[in-house]
Amino acid sequence: MPVDVLLGLQWGDEGKGKIVDYIARDYDIIARFQGGPNAGHTIIINGHKHVLHTIPSGVFRDDVLNVIGNGVVIDPIVLSRELKALKDLGLDISNILLAKKAHLILPTHRYLDAASEASKGKEKIGSTLRGIGPTYMDKTGRNGLRIGDIESEDFKNRYERLKHKHLELGKIYPKIDFDFAEEERKWFDSLEDLKKLKTINCSFFINDALNAGKKILAEGAQGSMLDIDYGTYPFVTSSNTLSSGVCVGLGVAPNRIGKVFGISKSYCTRVGSGPFPTELNDETGEKLRKVGHEFGATTGRPRRTGWIDLVQLKYTIQLNGVDHLCITKMDCLNDFGEICLGTDYKVNGHMTRELPYRLDEKGIDVEYTTMNGWNCDINSLRNYNELPEEAKEYIRFLESYLEVPVTMISNGPERESLMVRN
Ligand code: GDP
Ligand code: IMO
Ligand code: MG
């Protein structure tokens, strides 16, 4: 059996949590392979909203195992809070497994993240301040602490040494408010909760499961345009968010990757700083934010909004090898007389469909195609054939431009608001 992959094709928040929760019923294992508590994956079941940060979105399905893979970075405080919320709902958390090789986010990683941002003035990344960048830096710098180290004798010493390094490094940044003692107390308390989770040797676990015929879905966090290598650097996150990240993040070989599901909103959003060529800083952008409730699931920040960018999507579809497209938030376009789609970039007067090295350089304009909206409520529809002709035309345009079939269309935040096409 191969590992299927589901990931975001834009700047995150495409609706991954909702779709993973839906299709998890067809899988035995859902596995997160990168990112950490910077993610906020929203799932709405029977009117109840759940936001997951570290735990995979298969956790609301019976008989599904949820693996937090070694590419994920873990803040014990956040994970412990998530576990408690699930326990309070009466859910079984013995179906959550934690990779021993996953790295730990220390309180001082969060401190460094905040202090580094404070030093940047106008150049701020707009980080979620969850300590993601500094933790991945310690991982590649070979200083990190991992889940598998927690029970080792020298854990406390190694923690102290790393903390000391962070405090020294922090001296280059402006002073910020951070309650070190309180954060450290919460961190060590939360570690006790993590010790109750089953830990695994992730690559062996995943490969054994595949060999036993189990169906596995890898759940991406963030989006392809936030990838450390191929995103809008430096306004990116610190992990490989692409399908290629699944191999290192879970310990599977490239030839074991199966279908890749790519998710895009019917428009586009971004939270945090950085270029966004189709951004709308006007009433239309405000309307998209309002109808789409575009406020961050992790930080509550208002998300920037704009039209869908097909040049950008073509790029991330190629990077990921997307086989199936899922378009979310179709219902959010119900009330737009005209819908625009970015189809070409004009760079210094030359038309191109190749994404430029930098998207924020002067002289880059986006060319749009305008289509008629459907001007009616599609939220209650469950069958693609029932969609108004204008909505079908919009989907056909995407398929023809992007050369990938749209096999899922999401038309509401609830679990069942989905049209699946075979
Ligand atoms: P993720 O990070 O990709 O899982 O996405 P988020 O949960 O951060 O943001 C997606 C938001 O859109 C959440 O509030 C979802 O409940 C909501 N959502 C997902 N799909 C749809 C949809 O088809 N229509 C509407 N109206 N909301 C949706
Ligand atoms: P999900 O999984 C949207 C953005 C931050 C910031 C940049 C770097 O919910 O789609 P970081 O904290 O990673 O150092 O921040 O990346 N970012 C996200 N934006 N959705 C996310 O996750 C994000 N995770 C990080 O806003 O611009
Ligand atoms: Mg999110």
Side-chain angles (χ1 to χ4, degrees), residues 383-395:
N383 188 329
Y384 176 79
N385 295 326
E386 294 166 359
L387 274 177
E389 198 45 42
E390 293 85 352
K392 285 187 188 156
E393 191 54 39
Y394 174 84
I395 296 294

PDB file of all heavy atoms in Angstrom, residues 383-395:
ATOM      1  N   ASN A 383     -24.600  17.282  -4.170  1.00  0.00           N
ATOM      2  CA  ASN A 383     -24.320  16.587  -5.415  1.00  0.00           C
ATOM      3  C   ASN A 383     -23.829  17.592  -6.460  1.00  0.00           C
ATOM      4  O   ASN A 383     -24.489  18.611  -6.698  1.00  0.00           O
ATOM      5  CB  ASN A 383     -25.647  15.946  -5.868  1.00  0.00           C
ATOM      6  CG  ASN A 383     -25.444  15.033  -7.037  1.00  0.00           C
ATOM      7  OD1 ASN A 383     -24.554  15.252  -7.865  1.00  0.00           O
ATOM      8  ND2 ASN A 383     -26.273  14.008  -7.106  1.00  0.00           N
ATOM      9  N   TYR A 384     -22.699  17.288  -7.073  1.00  0.00           N
ATOM     10  CA  TYR A 384     -22.095  18.214  -8.042  1.00  0.00           C
ATOM     11  C   TYR A 384     -23.080  18.620  -9.140  1.00  0.00           C
ATOM     12  O   TYR A 384     -23.136  19.773  -9.550  1.00  0.00           O
ATOM     13  CB  TYR A 384     -20.855  17.564  -8.666  1.00  0.00           C
ATOM     14  CG  TYR A 384     -20.219  18.408  -9.735  1.00  0.00           C
ATOM     15  CD1 TYR A 384     -19.400  19.484  -9.405  1.00  0.00           C
ATOM     16  CD2 TYR A 384     -20.454  18.152 -11.082  1.00  0.00           C
ATOM     17  CE1 TYR A 384     -18.831  20.272 -10.382  1.00  0.00           C
ATOM     18  CE2 TYR A 384     -19.878  18.938 -12.074  1.00  0.00           C
ATOM     19  CZ  TYR A 384     -19.066  19.997 -11.720  1.00  0.00           C
ATOM     20  OH  TYR A 384     -18.513  20.784 -12.686  1.00  0.00           O
ATOM     21  N   ASN A 385     -23.890  17.652  -9.590  1.00  0.00           N
ATOM     22  CA  ASN A 385     -24.813  17.939 -10.694  1.00  0.00           C
ATOM     23  C   ASN A 385     -25.837  19.010 -10.354  1.00  0.00           C
ATOM     24  O   ASN A 385     -26.409  19.634 -11.241  1.00  0.00           O
ATOM     25  CB  ASN A 385     -25.531  16.648 -11.124  1.00  0.00           C
ATOM     26  CG  ASN A 385     -24.522  15.670 -11.693  1.00  0.00           C
ATOM     27  OD1 ASN A 385     -23.546  16.084 -12.327  1.00  0.00           O
ATOM     28  ND2 ASN A 385     -24.726  14.393 -11.424  1.00  0.00           N
ATOM     29  N   GLU A 386     -26.079  19.200  -9.059  1.00  0.00           N
ATOM     30  CA  GLU A 386     -27.065  20.211  -8.644  1.00  0.00           C
ATOM     31  C   GLU A 386     -26.501  21.633  -8.644  1.00  0.00           C
ATOM     32  O   GLU A 386     -27.232  22.596  -8.458  1.00  0.00           O
ATOM     33  CB  GLU A 386     -27.564  19.894  -7.228  1.00  0.00           C
ATOM     34  CG  GLU A 386     -28.353  18.611  -7.133  1.00  0.00           C
ATOM     35  CD  GLU A 386     -28.519  18.156  -5.672  1.00  0.00           C
ATOM     36  OE1 GLU A 386     -28.005  18.836  -4.763  1.00  0.00           O
ATOM     37  OE2 GLU A 386     -29.136  17.114  -5.468  1.00  0.00           O
ATOM     38  N   LEU A 387     -25.203  21.759  -8.801  1.00  0.00           N
ATOM     39  CA  LEU A 387     -24.592  23.103  -8.760  1.00  0.00           C
ATOM     40  C   LEU A 387     -25.117  23.966  -9.902  1.00  0.00           C
ATOM     41  O   LEU A 387     -25.358  23.458 -11.005  1.00  0.00           O
ATOM     42  CB  LEU A 387     -23.069  22.999  -8.913  1.00  0.00           C
ATOM     43  CG  LEU A 387     -22.213  22.759  -7.686  1.00  0.00           C
ATOM     44  CD1 LEU A 387     -20.749  22.617  -8.106  1.00  0.00           C
ATOM     45  CD2 LEU A 387     -22.356  23.888  -6.660  1.00  0.00           C
ATOM     46  N   PRO A 388     -25.290  25.275  -9.667  1.00  0.00           N
ATOM     47  CA  PRO A 388     -25.682  26.146 -10.775  1.00  0.00           C
ATOM     48  C   PRO A 388     -24.630  26.121 -11.884  1.00  0.00           C
ATOM     49  O   PRO A 388     -23.448  25.846 -11.630  1.00  0.00           O
ATOM     50  CB  PRO A 388     -25.762  27.533 -10.128  1.00  0.00           C
ATOM     51  CG  PRO A 388     -25.262  27.406  -8.743  1.00  0.00           C
ATOM     52  CD  PRO A 388     -25.144  25.968  -8.393  1.00  0.00           C
ATOM     53  N   GLU A 389     -25.078  26.397 -13.092  1.00  0.00           N
ATOM     54  CA  GLU A 389     -24.204  26.284 -14.266  1.00  0.00           C
ATOM     55  C   GLU A 389     -22.944  27.154 -14.109  1.00  0.00           C
ATOM     56  O   GLU A 389     -21.849  26.742 -14.470  1.00  0.00           O
ATOM     57  CB  GLU A 389     -25.000  26.690 -15.510  1.00  0.00           C
ATOM     58  CG  GLU A 389     -24.394  26.235 -16.834  1.00  0.00           C
ATOM     59  CD  GLU A 389     -23.899  24.777 -16.845  1.00  0.00           C
ATOM     60  OE1 GLU A 389     -24.572  23.871 -16.314  1.00  0.00           O
ATOM     61  OE2 GLU A 389     -22.796  24.563 -17.371  1.00  0.00           O
ATOM     62  N   GLU A 390     -23.090  28.353 -13.511  1.00  0.00           N
ATOM     63  CA  GLU A 390     -21.932  29.254 -13.366  1.00  0.00           C
ATOM     64  C   GLU A 390     -20.879  28.634 -12.446  1.00  0.00           C
ATOM     65  O   GLU A 390     -19.673  28.809 -12.670  1.00  0.00           O
ATOM     66  CB  GLU A 390     -22.357  30.617 -12.792  1.00  0.00           C
ATOM     67  CG  GLU A 390     -23.226  31.457 -13.682  1.00  0.00           C
ATOM     68  CD  GLU A 390     -24.702  31.110 -13.557  1.00  0.00           C
ATOM     69  OE1 GLU A 390     -25.030  30.105 -12.886  1.00  0.00           O
ATOM     70  OE2 GLU A 390     -25.536  31.831 -14.138  1.00  0.00           O
ATOM     71  N   ALA A 391     -21.324  27.924 -11.420  1.00  0.00           N
ATOM     72  CA  ALA A 391     -20.376  27.285 -10.498  1.00  0.00           C
ATOM     73  C   ALA A 391     -19.662  26.133 -11.207  1.00  0.00           C
ATOM     74  O   ALA A 391     -18.449  25.940 -11.043  1.00  0.00           O
ATOM     75  CB  ALA A 391     -21.101  26.777  -9.253  1.00  0.00           C
ATOM     76  N   LYS A 392     -20.413  25.396 -12.016  1.00  0.00           N
ATOM     77  CA  LYS A 392     -19.785  24.299 -12.780  1.00  0.00           C
ATOM     78  C   LYS A 392     -18.772  24.868 -13.774  1.00  0.00           C
ATOM     79  O   LYS A 392     -17.705  24.294 -13.984  1.00  0.00           O
ATOM     80  CB  LYS A 392     -20.858  23.519 -13.549  1.00  0.00           C
ATOM     81  CG  LYS A 392     -21.684  22.605 -12.675  1.00  0.00           C
ATOM     82  CD  LYS A 392     -22.591  21.771 -13.566  1.00  0.00           C
ATOM     83  CE  LYS A 392     -23.579  20.987 -12.742  1.00  0.00           C
ATOM     84  NZ  LYS A 392     -24.780  20.636 -13.499  1.00  0.00           N
ATOM     85  N   GLU A 393     -19.151  26.003 -14.375  1.00  0.00           N
ATOM     86  CA  GLU A 393     -18.259  26.645 -15.344  1.00  0.00           C
ATOM     87  C   GLU A 393     -16.936  27.055 -14.663  1.00  0.00           C
ATOM     88  O   GLU A 393     -15.850  26.895 -15.224  1.00  0.00           O
ATOM     89  CB  GLU A 393     -18.991  27.884 -15.910  1.00  0.00           C
ATOM     90  CG  GLU A 393     -18.349  28.533 -17.122  1.00  0.00           C
ATOM     91  CD  GLU A 393     -18.098  27.566 -18.271  1.00  0.00           C
ATOM     92  OE1 GLU A 393     -18.946  26.692 -18.517  1.00  0.00           O
ATOM     93  OE2 GLU A 393     -17.029  27.691 -18.899  1.00  0.00           O
ATOM     94  N   TYR A 394     -17.071  27.567 -13.430  1.00  0.00           N
ATOM     95  CA  TYR A 394     -15.889  27.965 -12.645  1.00  0.00           C
ATOM     96  C   TYR A 394     -14.991  26.747 -12.399  1.00  0.00           C
ATOM     97  O   TYR A 394     -13.770  26.798 -12.602  1.00  0.00           O
ATOM     98  CB  TYR A 394     -16.383  28.591 -11.319  1.00  0.00           C
ATOM     99  CG  TYR A 394     -15.301  28.919 -10.322  1.00  0.00           C
ATOM    100  CD1 TYR A 394     -14.606  30.120 -10.405  1.00  0.00           C
ATOM    101  CD2 TYR A 394     -14.975  28.027  -9.302  1.00  0.00           C
ATOM    102  CE1 TYR A 394     -13.611  30.427  -9.488  1.00  0.00           C
ATOM    103  CE2 TYR A 394     -13.987  28.328  -8.382  1.00  0.00           C
ATOM    104  CZ  TYR A 394     -13.307  29.520  -8.474  1.00  0.00           C
ATOM    105  OH  TYR A 394     -12.325  29.811  -7.571  1.00  0.00           O
ATOM    106  N   ILE A 395     -15.596  25.632 -12.006  1.00  0.00           N
ATOM    107  CA  ILE A 395     -14.824  24.402 -11.755  1.00  0.00           C
ATOM    108  C   ILE A 395     -14.178  23.903 -13.056  1.00  0.00           C
ATOM    109  O   ILE A 395     -13.004  23.509 -13.076  1.00  0.00           O
ATOM    110  CB  ILE A 395     -15.729  23.296 -11.137  1.00  0.00           C
ATOM    111  CG1 ILE A 395     -16.236  23.738  -9.753  1.00  0.00           C
ATOM    112  CG2 ILE A 395     -15.014  21.944 -11.059  1.00  0.00           C
ATOM    113  CD1 ILE A 395     -15.173  23.880  -8.688  1.00  0.00           C
TER     114      ILE A 395
END
